[in-house]
Amino acid sequence: MNLAPPFEAFAHEWINAFNSHELDRIIALYADDVRLTSPLYLRYTAGASATVQGIEPLRSYFGSALQRYPDLRFTLLDVATGVDGPCIRYHSNVGDHVAMEAFSLDRERRIVRVWCHYV
């Protein structure tokens, strides 16, 4: 029995967007009212907030990260199926980390909510 929507294709699209380093291509995957919660964002804001709210603050955060890490590269490891979207496990060459991001997608399959976790 296959319960999974086609999240494998979404995961590859997301990984490829980040590996392209094209900010507009990355941002196009997210809804205008996106909320992303991440321990890395908490460090980015010096402890003021763990959540990015809205597409323009997300654009600024990702743009800063792409400038800081010009060799950023993600490698897809696994895709798990959730009710509203996938959880993607990937390797990041920045700090040699494994990360997991759980996504909630809207009807247009744009990302509306993200929870980031790092090993």
Side-chain angles (χ1 to χ4, degrees):
M1 175 163 74
N2 183 3
L3 300 176
F7 291 136
E8 188 81 23
F10 171 86
H12 284 285
E13 180 181 8
W14 186 85
I15 292 286
N16 291 336
F18 272 92
N19 287 344
S20 77
H21 294 234
E22 297 172 23
L23 186 57
D24 288 339
R25 181 176 172 187
I26 296 166
I27 290 299
L29 298 173
Y30 294 83
D32 290 343
D33 59 347
V34 63
R35 291 185 64 204
L36 178 143
T37 300
S38 169
L40 294 181
Y41 190 69
L42 186 62
R43 275 197 273 167
Y44 178 79
T45 64
S49 176
T51 301
V52 184
Q53 297 187 50
I55 198 72
E56 289 309 316
L58 187 69
R59 176 185 294 279
S60 177
Y61 174 54
F62 285 167
S64 176
L66 290 172
Q67 287 179 353
R68 179 175 285 158
Y69 305 108
D71 296 327
L72 175 79
R73 181 96 184 139
F74 294 163
T75 303
L76 183 63
L77 301 174
D78 290 303
V79 181
T81 296
V83 173
D84 296 324
C87 181
I88 298 173
R89 188 171 74 95
Y90 62 95
H91 176 265
S92 171
N93 69 336
V94 175
D96 195 30
H97 290 282
V98 171
M100 289 156 277
E101 298 198 20
F103 299 90
S104 182
L105 307 178
D106 65 14
R107 291 185 188 269
E108 288 82 36
R109 296 181 64 84
R110 290 178 306 153
I111 302 162
V112 293
R113 191 74 172 93
V114 187
W115 296 267
C116 305
H117 304 79
Y118 303 93
V119 177

